[in-house]
Amino acid sequence: MEHTRTFTDKLFLVLKGLAMGAANKVPGVSGGVVAFVAGFYEEFIYSLKRINKNAFKLLLNLKFKSFFEYINGRFLVLLFSGMIISYFSISKLLDYLIIHYELYVWSVFFGMIVGSVYYIYKDFSHWNNKTFLSLAIGALIGLSISFLNPAKENDNLFFVFFCGIISVSGMTLPGFSGSFILILIGNYVLLLVDSVNALYDTFYEIIKGDFSFISNVERIRMLKVLAVFTLGSITGLVTFSHALSYILKHYKNITIATILGFIIGSLGVVWPWKKTIFDTLENGTHTLDSSGERIVKNYERYIPELSTETLIAITFAFFGFAIVAALEIYGKKHKKNG
């Protein structure tokens, strides 16, 4: 699997990791779409699949170089480096943009997903009754998920571990947004906001030489939640990759058609023109999460009126489409030159 990569290849792989990390953070957007459209989805899945008992044998026998080569380590390190950098930088910027320019951010993502659908469909030539049925089933499931109502927050550690497994589904299943699933099962704020903020605060205090967090019961609870969530995410990443590598090997065309259906179904989640419906108590006040933010219950989608704001949003949607087109062009040039 491993092959010689130029500096440009390595840089682009880190940038793709940045894009995957940012996409995974946004509800409704799947980091797997980035991998799928950019042309490294299968290598990603097969590399993760190599994290198995043979890999652990090499590791236990201290054969680190063989272990690194066996799991396609250079590829995974570059990709995950981009994701980690994204988590501590771009995802924060994305949070800011969603708060202040929500319509335009969703427009960019909508354009990117439309572009993904176009290029995947254009490059897929194995249409028959089975693949069309798979496409329809994938779209129906994706669309059904997008209209479900969110549940309440649950910090039970067994459930948090399960959430970790679910959260990485967007990395391995293009069109299946792990962060949106976390919203549906009620734990998005707990796992991707509150626990991460607790980690930030802890690092900051340690750097200052302040270890008072050790006696902070709430902080320790949040760090435990984050640790269990991370363990579940790693478990899910490896488990999904093994299952998907088998499916891709034996049912590749049906799998691609189903994935395309998932992506089409996710368009309902990222439709830019929607009003947020917050969870409201009987007395008319909004339900708040632990950070004081209003809890989102669902979205009410609508067709926009023609206005300057709408035209700007459409322009951003075309920009999103152009990003995917650029990735497609780069991918084809890379294959031709490679």
Side-chain angles (χ1 to χ4, degrees):
M1 182 72 70
E2 183 64 73
H3 54 80
T4 304
R5 298 182 192 274
T6 65
F7 174 77
T8 304
D9 291 335
K10 293 175 182 177
L11 178 61
F12 266 97
L13 197 51
V14 172
L15 291 175
K16 289 169 183 176
L18 282 168
M20 282 189 75
N24 280 325
K25 181 76 182 290
V26 180
V29 183
S30 165
V33 170
V34 176
F36 204 79
V37 175
F40 63 93
Y41 178 71
E42 288 190 43
E43 184 175 3
F44 177 57
I45 294 300
Y46 287 128
S47 297
L48 290 174
K49 181 196 172 188
R50 302 303 290 274
I51 303 175
N52 53 29
K53 62 180 182 181
N54 293 329
F56 284 111
K57 282 180 183 178
L58 292 171
L59 200 58
L60 290 172
N61 291 325
L62 306 181
K63 296 180 179 179
F64 300 117
K65 186 177 180 181
S66 298
F67 167 79
F68 194 73
E69 290 175 352
Y70 181 77
I71 65 169
N72 197 12
R74 192 173 288 110
F75 168 83
L76 290 177
V77 166
L78 289 169
L79 195 64
F80 280 104
S81 295
M83 291 184 197
I84 293 169
I85 293 169
S86 171
Y87 203 76
F88 289 96
S89 58
I90 288 180
S91 62
K92 285 294 180 184
L93 174 63
L94 206 53
D95 289 342
Y96 173 84
L97 292 174
I98 287 177
I99 291 171
H100 295 89
Y101 305 99
E102 184 177 19
L103 173 63
Y104 302 141
V105 172
W106 285 119
S107 296
V108 172
F109 284 123
F110 186 81
M112 289 179 71
I113 293 180
V114 170
S116 302
V117 170
Y118 171 74
Y119 283 107
I120 295 170
Y121 180 84
K122 185 171 71 71
D123 294 338
F124 187 69
S125 57
H126 302 280
W127 292 111
N128 53 46
N129 291 338
K130 287 183 179 179
T131 52
F132 273 121
L133 179 61
S134 301
L135 175 77
I137 292 173
L140 185 62
I141 294 173
L143 198 60
S144 299
I145 289 172
S146 70
F147 286 95
L148 292 174
N149 287 330
K152 301 294 182 183
E153 184 174 289
N154 184 345
D155 64 354
N156 178 278
L157 292 181
F158 288 105
F159 186 69
V160 167
F161 183 83
F162 170 75
C163 289
I165 294 174
I166 293 298
S167 72
V168 297
S169 60
M171 290 174 62
T172 52
L173 286 171
F176 196 82
S177 171
S179 54
F180 184 70
I181 297 300
L182 287 182
I183 284 182
L184 293 178
I185 57 183
N187 273 9
Y188 177 81
V189 173
L190 174 70
L191 301 175
L192 295 187
V193 179
D194 292 346
S195 63
V196 175
N197 288 340
L199 182 64
Y200 285 155
D201 293 340
T202 302
F203 278 142
Y204 181 70
E205 290 171 6
I206 290 174
I207 290 171
K208 291 196 307 178
D210 180 4
F211 293 90
S212 61
F213 70 89
I214 294 174
S215 58
N216 187 328
V217 176
E218 178 61 19
R219 180 74 63 80
I220 296 299
R221 182 183 76 88
M222 294 308 298
L223 292 175
K224 281 182 181 178
V225 165
L226 184 60
V228 173
F229 176 66
T230 303
L231 185 62
S233 298
I234 295 169
T235 302
L237 201 58
V238 175
T239 304
F240 273 127
S241 64
H242 279 74
L244 281 170
S245 63
Y246 175 86
I247 294 169
L248 278 169
K249 183 177 180 180
H250 295 88
Y251 308 100
K252 184 174 181 178
N253 295 332
I254 290 175
T255 303
I256 291 174
T258 305
I259 287 172
L260 181 57
F262 272 135
I263 297 173
I264 292 171
S266 71
L267 286 171
V269 181
V270 295
W271 177 252
W273 295 278
K274 53 181 176 278
K275 295 176 183 176
T276 305
I277 302 173
F278 295 102
D279 190 21
T280 305
L281 301 174
E282 289 182 4
N283 61 7
T285 60
H286 291 135
T287 307
L288 305 179
D289 60 39
S290 57
S291 62
E293 294 292 324
R294 292 177 294 176
I295 294 177
V296 175
K297 185 176 182 181
N298 214 322
Y299 297 102
E300 184 180 294
R301 297 158 185 86
Y302 63 92
I303 304 297
E305 295 180 356
L306 188 61
S307 65
T308 302
E309 184 183 60
T310 301
L311 291 174
I312 294 173
I314 291 171
T315 302
F316 273 105
F318 276 108
F319 174 67
F321 190 99
I323 292 173
V324 174
L327 283 171
E328 175 75 7
I329 292 167
Y330 168 78
K332 286 189 174 179
K333 282 184 178 179
H334 183 268
K335 286 179 182 177
K336 192 179 292 183
N337 295 334

